[in-house]
């Protein structure tokens, strides 16, 4: 099948869109990928919706959140058109879209997770069958609802020597461990770029620490780092997942911009090291995807903290910026075939299960 995957992460930087050919099993052929950045006004609108959603005890309609959901659909529909134009592929040739939507709150401890963006509206706008709401069924069954990409990581890594681990450094970091027998263990490890991005925007007006240059010019403050690591969540056995807002930059307040960036980057590295202690066996390779792989200072700190050499997935021919979007395309194909996307070792769901709601374009 030809499938499009759409991902808008907690960093609120834009929409990733990937077109792949896949059978939902071992065959995966990337065809096209593009990123569409959000405007400043769109980022502000989504940030407002997220801040509001976090005040609720359960998902419910609210005008700013409804408006943000409509923005998500408009933006994603536009990106689909641009991706198809880039690839020279007609919409009628595409079998399915995997539409993640925008997470505004993730509270599996309260029995819910909330991704805005109407899958039916996107199906109608594009004329393509759309799968959305990938996480809710897992949470309803007692799972964490995240991470979901491990099933795709396993397909990509089928021919690699095991055990191997894939570390995704997005707003939040998560890791997938694949054992010699194909067993999967996956969980969120802690903040990745999220806190650093928030710090940089507040302290310098920049959206992120380009290549880790600010962190490289600063000094890690050990007292602050120890305070941030003194959190029982890191000792919890997986599976486990996070909302980006479960951690804040507050402990770093009062540090210089450079020292704060260095300390928050070291925090990410230490949480990755702690996560490796939860794996059944040390991985032979630590492959790194997501925006954080562009941060040389972060990778150096992870190497120092873990004793492993983080390898960007691009060295294997995997586009580390595209993997999450590709993963939702892959999972959409699996959903159409009623195949599992969630597993006890990845989300803590009691038994392997599929997920996602299928929306077919309305007639006319």
């Amino acid at each position: 099948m030809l499938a499009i995957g759409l991902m808008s992460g907690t960093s609120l930087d834009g929409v990733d869109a990937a077109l792949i050919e896949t059978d939902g099993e071992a065959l995966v052929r990337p065809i096209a990928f593009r990123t569409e950045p959000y405007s400043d006004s769109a980022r502000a609108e989504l940030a407002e919706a997220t801040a509001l959603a976090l005040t609720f005890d359960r998902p419910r309609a609210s005008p700013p959140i409804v408006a943000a959901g409509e923005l998500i659909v408009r933006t994603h529909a536009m990106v689909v058109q641009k991706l198809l134009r880039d690839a020279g592929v007609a919409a009628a040739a595409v079998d399915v879209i995997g539409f993640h939507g925008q997470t505004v709150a993730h509270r599996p401890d309260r029995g819910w997770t909330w991704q805005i963006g109407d899958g039916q509206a996107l199906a109608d706008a594009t004329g393509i069958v759309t799968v959305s709401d990938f996480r809710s069924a897992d949470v309803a069954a007692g799972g964490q609802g995240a991470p979901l990409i491990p099933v795709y990581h396993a397909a990509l890594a089928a021919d690699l020597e095991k055990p191997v681990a894939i570390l995704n450094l997005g707003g939040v970091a998560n890791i997938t461990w694949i054992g010699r027998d194909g067993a999967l263990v996956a969980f969120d490890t802690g903040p990745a770029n999220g806190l650093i991005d928030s710090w940089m925007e507040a302290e310098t007006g920049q959206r992120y620490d380009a290549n880790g240059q600010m962190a490289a010019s600063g000094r890690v403050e050990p007292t602050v780092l120890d305070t941030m690591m003194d959190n029982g969540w890191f000792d919890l056995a997986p599976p486990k997942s996070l909302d980006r807002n479960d951690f804040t930059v507050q402990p770093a307040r009062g540090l210089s911009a450079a020292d704060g960036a260095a300390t928050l980057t070291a925090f990410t590295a230490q949480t990755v090291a702690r996560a490796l202690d939860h794996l059944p066996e040390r991985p032979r390779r630590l492959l790194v995807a997501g925006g954080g792989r562009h941060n040389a200072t972060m990778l150096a700190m992870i190497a120092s903290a873990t004793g492993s050499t983080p390898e960007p997935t691009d060295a294997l021919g995997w586009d580390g910026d595209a993997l999450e979007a590709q993963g939702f395309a892959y999972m959409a194909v699996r959903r159409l075939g009623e195949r599992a996307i969630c597993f006890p070792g990845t989300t803590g769901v009691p038994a392997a299960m599929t997920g996602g709601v299928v929306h077919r374009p309305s007639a006319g």
Side-chain angles (χ1 to χ4, degrees):
M1 290 185 172
L2 283 181
I4 290 174
L6 301 171
M7 181 66 197
S8 178
T10 56
S11 58
L12 304 181
D13 52 0
V15 180
D16 291 337
L19 175 66
I20 66 172
E21 181 183 18
T22 182
D23 61 357
E25 297 291 346
L27 172 66
V28 177
R29 185 173 73 88
I31 297 172
F33 173 73
R34 73 174 289 133
T35 294
E36 190 73 22
Y38 285 127
S39 66
D40 289 343
S41 61
R43 290 182 74 235
E45 186 173 343
L46 295 174
E48 178 189 1
T50 300
L52 180 60
L54 289 170
T55 69
F56 293 166
D57 56 358
R58 64 180 59 86
R60 61 177 182 265
S62 174
I65 295 176
V66 171
E70 293 169 350
L71 166 68
I72 287 293
V73 171
R74 289 196 307 273
T75 306
H76 283 64
M78 175 189 68
V79 176
V80 167
Q81 299 306 322
K82 290 184 176 182
L83 180 71
L84 292 174
R85 182 195 64 202
D86 292 349
V89 172
V94 178
D95 296 283
V96 67
I97 293 172
F99 175 36
H100 176 266
Q102 180 68 51
T103 297
V104 291
H106 181 64
R107 290 291 180 235
D109 54 318
R110 303 177 189 174
W112 56 273
T113 183
W114 193 0
Q115 287 75 45
I116 59 173
D118 185 332
Q120 186 63 55
L122 187 67
D124 292 343
T126 61
I128 301 170
V129 175
T130 297
V131 180
S132 67
D133 196 15
F134 283 89
R135 302 184 189 274
S136 292
D138 181 271
V139 172
Q144 291 286 310
L148 296 182
I149 300 298
V151 66
Y152 182 59
H153 288 160
L156 291 177
D159 295 332
L160 298 182
E161 191 173 2
K162 312 293 191 306
V164 66
I166 298 98
L167 175 67
N168 179 56
L169 296 172
V172 169
N174 54 68
I175 195 165
T176 300
W177 179 90
I178 308 166
R180 301 171 197 275
D181 59 354
L184 287 175
V185 173
F187 54 98
D188 287 348
T189 65
N193 305 308
L195 293 185
I196 302 165
D197 292 352
S198 296
W199 177 262
M200 290 296 293
E201 191 152 19
E203 298 293 322
T204 71
Q206 300 173 38
R207 289 189 178 176
Y208 60 96
D209 184 9
N211 200 34
Q213 292 178 349
M214 180 66 76
S217 69
R219 185 182 70 86
V220 175
E221 176 48 62
T223 303
V224 174
L225 180 58
D226 289 346
T227 298
M228 297 186 78
M229 289 300 300
D230 185 18
N231 187 314
W233 190 87
F234 298 118
D235 297 323
L236 293 176
K240 53 185 178 177
S241 65
L242 287 169
D243 186 279
R244 170 176 167 158
N245 296 284
D246 284 342
F247 292 87
T248 76
V249 300
Q250 197 59 38
R253 295 292 185 204
L255 298 181
S256 69
D259 289 353
T263 303
L264 294 171
T265 304
F267 179 50
T268 292
Q270 289 296 324
T271 60
V272 171
R274 185 75 63 88
L276 294 186
D277 293 337
H278 287 298
L279 298 178
E281 184 181 354
R282 199 80 174 181
R284 290 178 175 270
R285 301 173 75 176
L286 182 62
L287 305 172
V288 185
R293 79 190 194 287
H294 299 301
N295 185 324
T297 304
M298 181 179 289
L299 294 189
M301 287 186 176
I302 290 173
S304 176
T306 64
S308 301
T309 301
E311 303 175 58
T313 56
D314 309 75
L316 296 172
W318 309 352
D319 184 341
D321 292 322
L323 291 194
E324 282 201 292
Q326 291 172 358
F328 280 96
Y330 180 82
M331 286 186 286
V333 171
R334 290 185 67 85
R335 171 64 182 86
L336 294 183
E338 296 292 341
R339 283 169 284 185
I341 65 169
C342 307
F343 306 87
T346 62
T347 67
V349 74
M353 62 180 288
T354 193
V357 178
V358 179
H359 306 272
R360 302 189 183 279
S362 301

